Amino acid sequence: MLEEKNMQTLDLKSPYLEKRNKLVIVCSKGSLDMAYPPLMLATTGAAMGMEVDLYFTFWGINMVRKKSVDSMKVSPVGNPAMSMPNILGMIPGMTRLATRMMNKKMEGMKMPSIKEMIKTAHEAGVHFHACSPSMTMMNLTKEDLIPEVDDIIGATTYLDLASDNAITLFV
Amino acid sequence: MLEEKNMQTLDLKSPYLEKRNKLVIVCSKGSLDMAYPPLMLATTGAAMGMEVDLYFTFWGINMVRKKSVDSMKVSPVGNPAMSMPNILGMIPGMTRLATRMMNKKMEGMKMPSIKEMIKTAHEAGVHFHACSPSMTMMNLTKEDLIPEVDDIIGATTYLDLASDNAITLFV
Amino acid sequence: MLEEKNMQTLDLKSPYLEKRNKLVIVCSKGSLDMAYPPLMLATTGAAMGMEVDLYFTFWGINMVRKKSVDSMKVSPVGNPAMSMPNILGMIPGMTRLATRMMNKKMEGMKMPSIKEMIKTAHEAGVHFHACSPSMTMMNLTKEDLIPEVDDIIGATTYLDLASDNAITLFV
């Protein structure tokens, strides 16, 4: 029996057969289109039983800022995938139009808004962390952030979370 | 001998000496410049014997869309690294010019086109997955995608692939 | 006692309790705002005793290029988080203005410049790798790069570094 145990142990030489169960995403963008992917992955991960942490830094702070969470925008310029000539994208009102189009699309798919996704993710146990130096840079305090934000942390705490064998992504 | 085995086992306390052999990349951008990095890493990884999965989501769908795979563009605006004043980038035709310049560069380096890289990657065993909600958002069906796409999957399947101790990147 | 060792071994079934101690970041952007996050994470990681590797590719080469390291810019267009209408961002001089504003912010926070952060990171043991095909594409040689760059490597070497159970990010 001892031998058997040892055999089992030796198999562990490939411990990677075991699945990772943690997801840590850096959210660094402040546009509507790049707000969806991390939130979709976060809620899916939480639903799968994963521990999920989101770290909002730089422009990503806008995703958890009271003032901007409900008015995130898509830029019609600088993104060739939108197939809109830059000269048109410059016209005042085009950012609003592109944003309204994406919001309509999302509604049509019965996709919740960013604010609703954040609420759902939070209820599912996703942790929301705001980056401390980014807060300073933007002159923000905790009062400027939505209540779903659990804490304000620095890069050390983020790296500690990431080093815990998490799936790591920088969005 | 049992003792020896145990010693060996104890060394496994640092199982991370073993190399990971899997690469899972999210491709979320629809521009020519951000299409190259994931494809170059994918073909290199496959050549090294890694299992490689590409997950095309949001604007990244354009990389595997019949209509756009051959006409991906570089934006001359919104990217200070291009050192072109935004006001110039606005002029109709500048996106085409910037794109032609990059394509020429790539040809000069005997770098294959995006379409050719996809074909090579696919032949090397790289798996191509299109994101299901992104397809819905863009009103696309499997027929709109290039034949190299293996399947249309959701975030759950992507996370399952990533959790398999893969090197994970979000491009 | 042997039994005990075995028990210990069996606990290792969850080897992921052990923290990862390596950080490998791809730097692919050439703008000032996206130069800060990888450098901040790199210096923090090094201070925590992690082994840190930065891989500069595509536009990210600008972060380690003599000619551009001191003049990285923020784009006022194509980034809705900046809440500046694109039409204003087009006006010649606005990129300079947005860049000066961010540099002032950083100075106000006593945040070092990109060049200073690179020096600090290098002294802390962070490894700087420039991507070989990107160098070719931009017609650059080692002489065009700042002295902190350790070597010019390809995707194979990058993947080898990343496969060593590193926290991986693509910025």
Side-chain angles (χ1 to χ4, degrees), chain C:
Chain C
M1 189 183 157
L2 255 181
E3 285 247 40
E4 217 177 292
K5 267 188 195 167
N6 275 314
M7 287 311 290
Q8 192 179 345
T9 304
L10 290 172
D11 283 353
L12 291 182
K13 259 192 195 169
S14 298
Y16 303 133
L17 295 172
E18 200 177 326
K19 294 277 184 176
R20 292 191 284 184
N21 209 26
K22 190 166 177 176
L23 173 64
V24 178
I25 309 181
V26 180
C27 303
S28 76
K29 304 294 186 297
S31 61
L32 181 61
D33 49 336
M34 283 301 119
Y36 271 106
L39 287 171
M40 286 168 78
L41 291 173
T43 48
T44 306
M48 290 166 76
M50 286 185 171
E51 195 183 333
V52 185
D53 292 276
L54 298 179
Y55 180 53
F56 299 90
T57 189
F58 263 79
W59 314 117
I61 289 281
N62 283 312
M63 289 174 66
V64 289
R65 194 176 169 184
K66 279 178 193 162
K67 197 183 151 185
S68 50
V69 65
D70 265 335
S71 56
M72 299 196 78
K73 292 180 186 64
V74 172
S75 175
V77 301
N79 178 5
M82 288 208 81
S83 61
M84 183 190 282
N86 286 323
I87 192 82
L88 274 189
M90 278 311 105
I91 299 171
M94 285 311 259
T95 295
R96 198 163 58 231
L97 180 64
T99 303
R100 205 187 306 154
M101 276 169 61
M102 171 162 276
N103 279 328
K104 277 233 162 156
K105 280 267 182 211
M106 291 302 184
E107 274 172 48
M109 291 169 64
K110 298 193 193 314
M111 187 75 84
S113 71
I114 293 299
K115 202 177 187 176
E116 286 163 346
M117 286 194 84
I118 287 175
K119 215 183 152 204
T120 308
H122 188 254
E123 282 166 4
V126 172
H127 307 293
F128 287 71
H129 312 283
C131 163
S132 166
S134 302
M135 297 283 289
T136 309
M137 191 180 78
M138 299 170 87
N139 292 322
L140 301 176
T141 66
K142 192 147 186 5
E143 279 61 48
D144 297 305
L145 304 183
I146 57 174
E148 283 84 358
V149 175
D150 296 294
D151 48 20
I152 298 171
I153 66 174
T156 308
T157 310
Y158 158 74
L159 283 174
D160 195 54
L161 292 168
S163 69
D164 207 7
N165 203 49
I167 297 170
T168 51
L169 300 171
F170 185 100
V171 177

Side-chain angles (χ1 to χ4, degrees), chain B residues 37-124:
Chain B
L39 287 171
M40 286 168 78
L41 292 174
T43 47
T44 306
M48 290 166 75
M50 287 186 170
E51 194 183 332
V52 185
D53 291 277
L54 298 179
Y55 180 53
F56 299 89
T57 188
F58 262 79
W59 314 116
I61 289 282
N62 282 312
M63 291 174 65
V64 288
R65 195 176 168 183
K66 279 179 194 162
K67 197 182 150 184
S68 50
V69 65
D70 264 335
S71 56
M72 299 197 76
K73 293 180 186 64
V74 173
S75 175
V77 301
N79 179 4
M82 288 208 81
S83 63
M84 181 189 283
N86 286 322
I87 191 80
L88 275 189
M90 277 312 105
I91 299 172
M94 284 313 256
T95 296
R96 198 164 56 231
L97 180 63
T99 304
R100 205 186 307 154
M101 275 169 62
M102 172 162 275
N103 279 328
K104 276 232 163 157
K105 280 269 182 211
M106 292 302 184
E107 275 172 45
M109 292 169 66
K110 299 192 194 314
M111 187 76 84
S113 70
I114 293 298
K115 202 177 187 177
E116 286 162 347
M117 288 194 82
I118 287 174
K119 214 183 153 203
T120 307
H122 188 254
E123 280 166 5

Side-chain angles (χ1 to χ4, degrees), chain A residues 20-124:
Chain A
R20 292 190 285 183
N21 209 24
K22 191 165 175 174
L23 173 63
V24 179
I25 308 179
V26 180
C27 303
S28 76
K29 304 295 187 298
S31 61
L32 180 63
D33 48 338
M34 283 301 119
Y36 271 106
L39 288 170
M40 285 167 79
L41 291 173
T43 48
T44 306
M48 289 166 76
M50 287 186 170
E51 195 182 331
V52 184
D53 291 277
L54 298 179
Y55 180 54
F56 299 89
T57 189
F58 263 78
W59 314 116
I61 289 282
N62 282 313
M63 289 174 65
V64 288
R65 196 178 168 182
K66 279 179 194 163
K67 198 182 149 185
S68 50
V69 64
D70 265 335
S71 55
M72 299 197 78
K73 293 181 187 64
V74 172
S75 175
V77 302
N79 178 5
M82 288 208 80
S83 63
M84 181 189 283
N86 286 322
I87 192 82
L88 274 190
M90 280 308 107
I91 299 172
M94 284 313 257
T95 295
R96 198 163 57 233
L97 179 64
T99 304
R100 204 187 306 154
M101 274 169 62
M102 172 163 275
N103 279 327
K104 277 233 162 155
K105 279 268 182 209
M106 291 302 183
E107 275 173 47
M109 290 170 66
K110 299 193 192 315
M111 187 75 84
S113 70
I114 293 298
K115 202 176 187 178
E116 287 163 345
M117 287 194 83
I118 287 175
K119 215 182 152 204
T120 307
H122 189 254
E123 281 166 3

Side-chain angles (χ1 to χ4, degrees), chain A residues 6 9 13 15-16 19-20 33 36 41 44-45 48 78-81 86-87 90 105-106 109 167-170, chain B residues 2 6 8-9 15-16 18 58-59 62 73 75 90 95 133 137 139 155-156 158-160 162-163 165-166 168:
Chain A
N6 274 314
T9 305
K13 259 190 193 170
Y16 302 133
K19 293 277 183 176
R20 292 190 285 183
D33 48 338
Y36 271 106
L41 291 173
T44 306
M48 289 166 76
N79 178 5
N86 286 322
I87 192 82
M90 280 308 107
K105 279 268 182 209
M106 291 302 183
M109 290 170 66
I167 297 170
T168 51
L169 299 171
F170 185 99
Chain B
L2 254 179
N6 275 314
Q8 193 180 344
T9 304
Y16 303 133
E18 199 176 327
F58 262 79
W59 314 116
N62 282 312
K73 293 180 186 64
S75 175
M90 277 312 105
T95 296
M137 191 179 79
N139 292 324
T156 308
Y158 158 73
L159 284 174
D160 194 54
S163 68
N165 202 49
T168 51

